[in-house]
Amino acid sequence: MSIHSGLERPHQDSPARPGPRTNVRARAREAALPAAVVAVLFVFYTVFSVRRHSLMLTTGYDLGIFEQAVRSYAAGHWPVASLKGPGYNLLGDHFSPITATLAPFYRIWPSALTLLVAQAFLFALAAYPLCRWARRAVGRAAAITVGFAYGASWGIASAVVFDFHEIAFAVPLLAFSLAALGERRWRAAVWWALPLVLVKEDLGFTLAAIGLYVAWYGSRRLGLATAVFGVAASLVEMFVVLASVNQNGYAYTESLGGDGPTGTAAAVERLLGLPLQLVWPEPKVHTLLFLAAITGFMALRSPMVLLCLPTLGWRFVSDNASYWETRFHYSAVLMPIVFAAFIDVLARRRHAAEAGDAEVRKAARTSQRASLGITAAVALIVLPLFPYRQFPDLFADDPHVTAARSALAAIPDGASVTASNRFVPQLTGRCDVTVLGYPDMRPRYTAQWIISDTKAPSGWPMSAEGESAALDEALAQGYRIVTEQDGVVLLERSA
């Protein structure tokens, strides 16, 4: 199937074959728009992330954890994250060895900002294959609309605003794979999707779904082999690799109902309740509606949208309510799928219209413009509901942040520190840090320094009142106040 790049039929006056120089120029022109979209998104995501970090709006859970893991990789060790526990190997939490690719960059720039900038680039990069496919298949207006709507989408916004996560690698891999699927480049689609098994243990099931798509629409042998490999990879990672690293086994089976009643009756009861569990309670409905609405419900007309099911399945079956919501980073991997499905619908419509007469083609162009207009309008309407609305506030002066910076600067490099959650990623690059109030982590008052934010704590794992009580207890254990300003309290353990 050949899908052309404009609304009109391709110009065919010159039968001469284009030379190499002409091909290079054509490819450069084709790449210019997608590259420009990537550049704009990269700058925006970077500024947004860096400013949030400078205002201490990032947290130890999860940016600090990932920085400790990458820092450990950069030193040539396993990804140890002491924030999760003494000597905790993060490969026992999630199977994400792909984060080791950040280690060379971290050696050059040992900072949490390295992770944030890398994530900004990965999220922006996903726009390239989507915009390029839209430009080829539908036209320039479609490429611009897809780039804007993807860049402003709530799934990406929620991920950008919430620290760093390994799924940032999955977003461009999925985008390149899905664009190849749409252009019926089956081998390329599989090759782009294969590294998903190195991003996170559940993504092998998404790889399997891509394999089934390839088997149905293209190469049956390649698709089935990919599907089998994807399922096997996820099962091995969950129940062999992670279980061997983590002495307690795979940590997330409990949230999937692993600790519930056992036996045949309980299994039948869970099975019968599964359909309702996939769409209820209410937060699941909200997530599904927002997911469908970002393309004006157009993506639902493409079979590609079914590739969302593995991710939605494990999230909605889980007992963890955080997985059901539009907040956090969990929906980022769904954004390239939904927009690829949207492009697929537009491309199929346009291809079908090419076989019709002038009136059919005119009606198709009108329908296309309406679809693009609705998608752009939805992106604009939804924009204020999600974290990008914070952008103007990120450039205001904050005396509280100034006081925190002064206190943090008094802590020497290499010191052991217990810190409020939002102060943790300010220290993970140069200190041994734990989170103040995290239960059963270490003997409570062994760190050389304690720094607390009693005015604007993150709310986890302790409230402002809880942090104040913890400081009183620390003072009773022999710590002394080094500085106290605007709710930022720095304590040092007495010799």
Side-chain angles (χ1 to χ4, degrees), residues 38-172:
V38 170
V40 170
L41 293 180
F42 174 58
V43 171
F44 176 75
Y45 295 155
T46 299
V47 172
F48 193 88
S49 300
V50 170
R51 285 300 301 167
R52 290 192 80 258
H53 185 66
S54 69
L55 293 177
M56 301 184 190
L57 297 176
T58 52
T59 63
Y61 274 66
D62 294 321
L63 177 57
I65 289 173
F66 280 103
E67 185 186 1
Q68 286 185 334
V70 173
R71 183 184 182 187
S72 190
Y73 273 131
H77 306 306
W78 291 108
V80 172
S82 58
L83 285 164
K84 296 281 287 184
Y88 190 98
N89 186 339
L90 209 58
L91 288 177
D93 188 50
H94 288 300
F95 187 74
S96 305
I98 200 167
T99 55
T101 60
L102 297 178
F105 303 99
Y106 190 85
R107 287 182 66 89
I108 298 170
W109 189 18
S111 167
L113 293 176
T114 299
L115 280 67
L116 295 176
V117 172
Q119 178 172 260
F121 174 73
L122 291 167
F123 284 154
L125 180 62
Y128 185 87
L130 296 174
C131 291
R132 185 182 60 182
W133 176 25
R135 176 70 179 88
R136 289 173 175 174
V138 188
R140 182 181 179 86
I144 294 173
T145 302
V146 167
F148 165 69
Y150 162 81
S153 64
W154 59 268
I156 300 299
S158 298
V160 169
V161 80
F162 183 32
D163 296 353
F164 170 91
H165 294 90
E166 71 284 277
I167 53 87
F169 289 94
V171 175

Side-chain angles (χ1 to χ4, degrees), residues 120-248:
F121 174 73
L122 291 167
F123 284 154
L125 180 62
Y128 185 87
L130 296 174
C131 291
R132 185 182 60 182
W133 176 25
R135 176 70 179 88
R136 289 173 175 174
V138 188
R140 182 181 179 86
I144 294 173
T145 302
V146 167
F148 165 69
Y150 162 81
S153 64
W154 59 268
I156 300 299
S158 298
V160 169
V161 80
F162 183 32
D163 296 353
F164 170 91
H165 294 90
E166 71 284 277
I167 53 87
F169 289 94
V171 175
L173 289 172
L174 281 168
F176 278 101
S177 178
L178 294 166
L181 282 184
E183 296 176 334
R184 304 179 71 84
R185 295 182 289 115
W186 309 122
R187 289 185 179 276
V190 169
W191 279 113
W192 278 112
L194 282 175
L196 290 173
V197 301
L198 303 177
V199 177
K200 199 175 177 186
E201 64 277 2
D202 66 279
L203 288 170
F205 296 114
T206 299
L207 172 62
I210 291 172
L212 293 177
Y213 188 100
V214 171
W216 186 263
Y217 290 101
S219 170
R220 179 170 297 180
R221 180 179 297 179
L222 175 64
L224 292 178
T226 302
V228 170
F229 174 78
V231 171
S234 278
L235 294 178
V236 169
E237 290 170 5
M238 289 178 181
F239 301 110
V240 178
V241 177
L242 290 173
S244 67
V245 177
N246 189 332
Q247 62 180 358
N248 296 319

